[in-house]
Amino acid sequence: MSFYRELAPSRDLHALVACRWVRRVPETAQDESTLVLPDGCVDLLFRGGSVLVVGPDRKAHTNPLNAGETIVGLRLRPGVAGSVLGMPARELIDGRVPIEDVLGHSTTEVVERFEEADGEEEALSLLEGLVHSRLASADLDPLVLAASRRLGFTGSRVDRLAEALGISERQLRRRFHRAVGYGPKTLDRVLRFRRFVSNAPALADGELDLARAAADLGYADQSHLTRDCVRLSGMTPARLAEHWAG
């Protein structure tokens, strides 16, 4: 079984980067894969000699893993990718795109540095350095960043959020498509779903039932939770909780 861990980003990138992460696959692994669930984020990762831009996802993906490989990544917070990468994040939805296709062939030298990296820490530092190099020209949208932090919680409503921010729902949706990749209602659904996923161990162990989880997380009812879970993961809540907790 592969080993996965998340690490805190550098302090000066904490507002923009959710985490750094590493996945190691043992040499003895055979036909292994990992389930990647939507989280509203865009990842930059180094794998197999390539730097890739991944997401944001609208549904779960099964990612095949190769025996003996190590993958390192940097997870940008929702609302950051569009500005840092200098393109509408909507164009990256469900994508796995080489960094050269996003930033142009001027990144060839950057990719070569990754190929020469001595271990995980250096590769992670290079990913952070890549983000740093883009910040000078990045035009981060503070309204979208503020709005993103209010979504996914009990009682969150996009219409009220737009009103509180002094902007129309249409304008908010347009700015979300550029900065996040999809609209605020979709991000709200995804972030609430991720809060459900964080409860998977308690659900799998029987410490929490689905009706209580649905109520605590702000779903209208258990059926609402089930519909969103199937839409985003392809599994029922019970099956996903068992899979994720295992």
Side-chain angles (χ1 to χ4, degrees), residues 34-39 59-62 189-205 208 210 213 217 219 224-246:
T34 185
L35 181 66
V36 180
L37 297 175
D39 60 7
K59 59 183 179 180
H61 293 267
T62 300
R189 181 184 305 118
V190 167
L191 294 180
R192 181 178 288 112
F193 167 70
R194 293 300 305 199
R195 292 178 62 218
F196 164 71
V197 172
S198 70
N199 283 281
L203 288 161
D205 292 342
L208 181 67
L210 287 176
L217 295 171
Y219 288 96
H224 182 195
L225 165 59
T226 298
R227 288 194 302 273
D228 274 8
C229 187
V230 171
R231 178 190 299 180
L232 293 168
S233 73
M235 301 181 188
T236 63
R239 184 181 172 199
L240 178 62
E242 182 178 356
H243 173 91
W244 204 250

Side-chain angles (χ1 to χ4, degrees), residues 8-19 75 77 128 149:
S10 298
R11 185 175 301 177
D12 56 342
L13 285 178
H14 186 268
L16 306 180
V17 175
C19 69
R75 185 161 299 138
R77 294 187 185 278
E128 289 195 323
R149 297 188 185 104

